[in-house]
Amino acid sequence: MTDPLIAIENLTVSFAVGGVLHPAVKDLSLTLHASEVVGLVGESGSGKSTALLAVMSYLPGNAVVEAGRVLHGGVDLLRASRETLDDVRGRRIAMIYQDPTTALNPAMTVGAQIAEVLARHLSMEGARARERTHELLRLVQLDDPPRVAAAHPHQLSGGMQQRVMIAMALAGEPDVLLMDEPTTALDVIVQARVLDLVRTLHRQIRSAIVFVSHNLAAVAQLADRIGVLYAGELMELGPAAQVLEEPSHPYTRGLIAAVPRIGARRLPQGIPGTASRDPQRFTHCVFADRCAFTADICRSSRPALLAPSSGGHLSRCHFAAEPSRIGAVPGERATRAAHDRTAEASPLLEVSRLSVEYRRGAGFLGLGRAHAVRAVRDVSFRLPRRRVLAVVGESGSGKSTLARALLRLTPAAQGRIVFDGADVRAFDAGHLRAYRRRAQIVFQNPTSSLNPHKTVADIVARPLVLEGVPREDRRSRVLATLRAVGLTEAYLDRHPAQLSGGEKQRVALARAFVTEPLLVVLDEPTTALDVSVQATILELLLEQKERTGCAYLLISHDLAVVRQVADEVLVMRDGEVCEIGPAERIFGSPSHPYTRELLAAVPDLEPPAARNSV
Amino acid sequence: MNQLVAAPVPRLPRVNRYLEFGAGLTVLALAVALVGLAYSPYAPSKVDLLHRLAAPSPAHLLGTDRFGRDVLSRVLAGGWRSITLGFGATALGLAIGLPVALATGFHRGRLDQIVMRFVDALLSIPTLVFALLVIVGLGPGLVQAVLALGIAASPKFVRIVRSAVLDAASHDYVTAARARGESGLYIQYGEILPSVWAPIIVEGSINVGFALVGGAALSYLGLGTQPPHADWGVMINEAQKYISVSFWPLLGPALAICASVIGFNLLGEGLRDRLHVQRSFRDD
């Protein structure tokens, strides 16, 4: 085999925080060969971004490289001179960031930003640079390059901005592209198109790519080889097909089982617990605390990267060579019990011809000429008790506005909302308060939805205070609800900042469920969470529904998630209903072309070639 | 290349010198005011015509003024009036500004626009001139000076706190509170207020220093504390007429004002660093 383009050798990087070294990446070795795509998968805190930054030699000031090298063309980038790095960055190795809105300069036109790279690295100026800029924009499949080049970033959509980022990265004609979660900030259709673009580009220009993501399905679309990072260590590394189909590490198996699959109505399985942050964790197996197959040896010695099979497949597990010790490969697990469709009760929520308008450009004191923008138009549906209606669509489709209008957080322009037989739009202040106690909402981002200055006990007890529950009874109900969402008494006095993302979302759920509402609106409840946590929260949501008998209105752009939990699906686009019907029919035989497009956009674990041939 | 943005560097905890120094001076100023309430070497109004405008000596550590009164005793005895001006005016400014900021920032809409344009208009008047305008209506005196400086400071607090309220109100926990049927007042005072304490404390502490100077200025102009009562502003007024004869009577009150103002300002700046408050609107 030829020399690798990049060789990371035994890299150990720690961060100095408060005088203590916290390891972020431990003993990472990884090679990248010419025109190869390596996918790095890991949850937040797994060290995947640190590894990428180390390759660019962009580690933050408090990072300490304790050991290891990053070789590129015979030079150790971690110890290279400033001049060497200036010639490597952008020219030989280019990086694409997660959020194009912060990575692009808002004060410069897109064309000028690309021209800057051309001038810096290829000494290309003037008309030639302009021509090349347009060529690059065309390469990333942007129509009308002259217009795009003259635009400022804010005039472009998120998907277009990400394409510009890619064009800019390609401008220096690098051998290596580093992509840090390039599709995470995008919604599902745009994500599919960007993944498609990366695949097509890779075929054209053959530069090597390191693709980092927490989304195993997105990585599966592109990677030749997949590395799985956990708590700073490489747990498994191998050819994509082997890692996905015959994962030999329990963590990889857990991750795969946690990914919601569009193809199967199978509840994803979460991995209990959270990753260890203990600086001493590397004396034993870092996954031992969460592993279902932990033995004594896992807690006493650190496993080496072993090869369970040929073909460069490696796994950091004591039992890698004995696959029978760590259970079966996750297959199709128990499917969710189908609902008893005969018991079609009277609807809990009935919405007919609902429209919501925003007034724009009203100006000072509303004196200017205002024009109404219809965010939601003529939406009608029925939500029976104890059912889950999913509202799906891209960002900007009006799905969140619809949810807010249902709770009267945003006024509706026209239409009727009937909740439990009463007209919601006609409620006076008192009835509205009573309604809001029976209809709760859970938000996407628990960091924002929990007041950082309050304790868990105060947050969960507050709806009970509103309901007039006497103080003596509150504590027991708060505790019972916390236990129901998998938290303990120990959490009562903690503040949100002391909780992990999953724990925060559990608290948010406890607050929604403590008054036993009839309807819970879930606005992207798992989007901000890691995939292993997402699966446990989904399980929890279904459990709570069984326990309390409430109905869900689930807002989501993730069809794979919707597939697992929804009874009915409503597809929205530009504020209008495209299609509505039972989940089986929408997923089985979608009739609207937009629904088919949405479904096709969802990445699945099978690489695209395999999926086409089936 | 502009897209190459390094990851943010977490700041290592370091000793906050501003905070320590500011807190030290502030405690000193408060101690002077408290001690002065109970003790002074001489009676502050005891006239000694034989030792007029004397330089510092073991008997009179800061010298004497034109009536031979002990400057140290008067600095001590007048301290509480000056400090009260600073704290009283700040408390009043907050008492007026806070509810307005919470209500406008939370409700937004047309009333918010009207109130904020009015606040902008008031902000265009320098604080001390504004205070003078109020004094014209109320007449001179210590209480009136507190009222004037408090009212004059309130538009600034409305501006600063409202921007913090707008930020807090954009969080989902405020929407969540609305969605569970909380009253507007509970959301303002129960959910938003705890999130905006940091800028309030920072700006409040800086404003104490500012109001202290403002109070001294009003007293100097004869509009605040009325002679024969002493405060630091009155003392400067009395001493400056004899500055060509002796500057010693001026030194005591001037140092006291400087030390307190620097103390409160450094305390505010130190707290700003410690509490991670963005540098916000300042008009002075």
Side-chain angles (χ1 to χ4, degrees), chain A residues 226-253:
Chain A
I226 293 179
V228 179
L229 282 168
Y230 177 81
E233 268 192 325
L234 192 62
M235 303 307 265
E236 183 158 5
L237 175 69
Q242 274 189 43
V243 171
L244 292 171
E245 282 154 31
E246 301 158 46
S248 67
H249 196 286
Y251 175 64
T252 315
R253 294 185 177 189

Side-chain angles (χ1 to χ4, degrees), chain B residues 13-26:
Chain B
R14 64 185 167 82
V15 185
N16 193 333
R17 297 275 170 212
Y18 277 1
L19 191 58
E20 286 180 353
F21 195 58
L25 281 177
T26 303

Side-chain angles (χ1 to χ4, degrees), chain A residues 289-371:
Chain A
D289 291 341
R290 295 174 79 188
C291 184
F293 309 101
T294 306
D296 288 344
I297 186 171
C298 304
R299 299 195 190 280
S300 59
S301 90
R302 176 168 180 244
L305 268 174
L306 299 172
S309 58
S310 58
H313 190 178
L314 297 169
S315 170
R316 195 182 287 283
C317 177
H318 288 298
F319 305 119
E322 309 166 64
S324 58
R325 285 285 301 269
I326 48 176
V329 174
E332 299 302 297
R333 251 175 262 230
T335 49
R336 195 156 77 82
H339 260 290
D340 181 9
R341 299 223 150 269
T342 53
E344 189 75 29
S346 70
L348 175 67
L349 184 71
E350 192 166 7
V351 172
S352 42
R353 302 190 62 99
L354 186 73
S355 294
V356 183
E357 290 176 354
Y358 281 118
R359 290 170 74 78
R360 284 272 162 77
F364 178 59
L365 300 182
L367 300 176
R369 279 160 61 94
H371 61 281

Side-chain angles (χ1 to χ4, degrees), chain A residues 97-105 153 157-159 161-162 165 182 185-186:
Chain A
Y97 295 86
Q98 171 172 356
D99 189 354
T101 51
T102 55
L104 291 171
N105 186 338
S157 70
Q161 289 181 11
Q162 197 55 284
M165 281 286 299
L186 309 172

Side-chain angles (χ1 to χ4, degrees), chain B residues 36-230:
Chain B
L37 276 177
Y39 167 79
S40 57
Y42 301 87
S45 51
K46 180 174 170 276
V47 175
D48 180 356
L49 294 174
L50 293 177
H51 297 95
R52 296 168 63 198
L53 299 170
S57 63
H60 301 283
L61 286 175
L62 290 174
T64 59
D65 71 0
R66 60 180 168 138
F67 296 119
R69 296 177 296 197
D70 180 44
V71 172
L72 176 63
S73 299
R74 285 178 70 76
V75 166
L76 283 169
W80 71 269
R81 290 196 183 86
S82 288
I83 299 284
T84 303
L85 268 166
F87 275 99
T90 303
L92 181 66
L94 276 174
I96 301 170
L98 211 57
V100 175
L102 283 167
T104 56
F106 173 67
H107 288 295
R108 309 291 300 275
R110 195 166 290 195
L111 185 71
D112 174 45
Q113 290 187 347
I114 294 171
V115 170
M116 288 320 290
R117 291 300 85 76
F118 183 63
V119 165
D120 285 344
L122 292 181
L123 278 172
S124 67
I125 309 171
T127 311
L128 202 59
V129 177
F130 190 6
L132 281 172
L133 284 175
V134 180
I135 285 277
V136 167
L138 296 174
L142 178 65
V143 175
Q144 287 87 333
V146 168
L147 286 174
L149 288 165
I151 292 170
S154 58
K156 185 172 67 177
F157 282 121
V158 173
R159 249 294 167 226
I160 292 160
V161 177
R162 179 175 169 276
S163 65
V165 169
L166 285 182
D167 179 56
S170 70
H171 279 99
D172 284 337
Y173 59 79
V174 170
T175 316
R178 285 214 295 143
R180 68 171 180 263
E182 298 279 10
S183 70
L185 279 180
Y186 173 80
I187 298 177
Q188 288 171 45
Y189 290 89
E191 298 278 349
I192 297 178
L193 188 58
S195 309
V196 298
W197 267 125
I200 290 175
I201 289 171
V202 169
E203 292 301 331
S205 140
I206 290 173
N207 192 73
V208 169
F210 184 79
L212 201 144
V213 176
L218 288 180
S219 293
Y220 173 85
L221 294 172
L223 301 170
T225 302
Q226 298 299 307
H229 295 303

